Amino acid sequence: MIIAIGADHAGYRLKDVIVPFLKAQGHEIIDVGCNCADSVDYPDYAVPVCDKVVQGEAERGILICGTGIGMSIAANKTPGIRCALVHDLFSAKATREHNDTNVLAMGERVIGPGVAEEIIKIWLDTPFSQGERHKGRLGKVAAIESQYSLHP
């Protein structure tokens, strides 16, 4: 799987652990940065990851900041992105089964590398359930997105 990954200054250390973890599992990684502790703005890294997912250059995206909140907010402004902020294993599975998420957000200041790796593995391995109720709900979300999108 091709995975785009990005982090701000508060998440780059966790990203630096996650990238080799993903590569060891055979995934191809597109790393959009950042790679330092200098203060940067999370939207500057969320947008390129989401663009790669929407344009089909990456199958999924992973975003990391201090809490994951800013990244998830920025990501969900991109039409076609369904980003979930996840810090536990149950949510990692449910967000794929029920919401068919294509971007995962996490907070380096909230979870450690071991939990992050477990979350990512579950999130990548769990397919969308294809349940009719879930498809219907995602259709409603897409309709909302289309209604408010500047570029339908």
Side-chain angles (χ1 to χ4, degrees):
M1 187 178 299
I2 300 172
I3 301 166
I5 189 167
D8 70 1
H9 60 282
Y12 85 95
R13 288 173 212 79
L14 183 56
K15 179 178 68 72
D16 287 350
V17 171
I18 297 306
V19 167
F21 167 76
L22 291 168
K23 286 181 178 179
Q25 291 190 359
H27 300 291
E28 183 180 331
I29 305 303
I30 302 170
D31 186 343
V32 304
C34 105
N35 299 305
C36 67
D38 298 338
S39 183
V40 297
D41 299 327
Y42 58 82
D44 296 341
Y45 299 91
V47 170
V49 166
C50 293
D51 285 348
K52 294 200 179 307
V53 172
V54 169
Q55 294 167 4
E57 296 174 40
E59 296 165 73
R60 304 258 184 97
I62 297 174
L63 297 168
I64 307 165
C65 64
T67 62
I69 296 167
M71 286 291 200
S72 65
I73 291 170
N76 280 312
K77 299 298 181 187
T78 304
I81 293 299
R82 290 174 310 281
C83 178
L85 172 58
V86 175
H87 291 130
D88 66 88
L89 306 181
F90 175 80
S91 297
K93 183 173 180 162
T95 194
R96 284 289 308 135
E97 285 181 340
H98 297 185
N99 309 113
D100 195 19
T101 54
N102 52 11
V103 175
L104 173 69
M106 296 182 293
E108 178 180 312
R109 296 175 180 161
V110 180
I111 57 172
V115 173
E117 289 175 356
E118 288 182 58
I119 287 169
I120 290 168
K121 182 158 179 29
I122 289 169
W123 184 73
L124 291 174
D125 291 346
T126 302
F128 177 52
S129 71
Q130 299 293 330
E132 288 305 315
R133 72 176 194 237
H134 301 304
K135 286 181 180 179
R137 292 169 184 157
L138 290 178
K140 288 182 178 187
V141 170
I144 294 166
E145 181 179 83
S146 177
Q147 178 182 352
Y148 291 97
S149 176
L150 297 176
H151 307 287

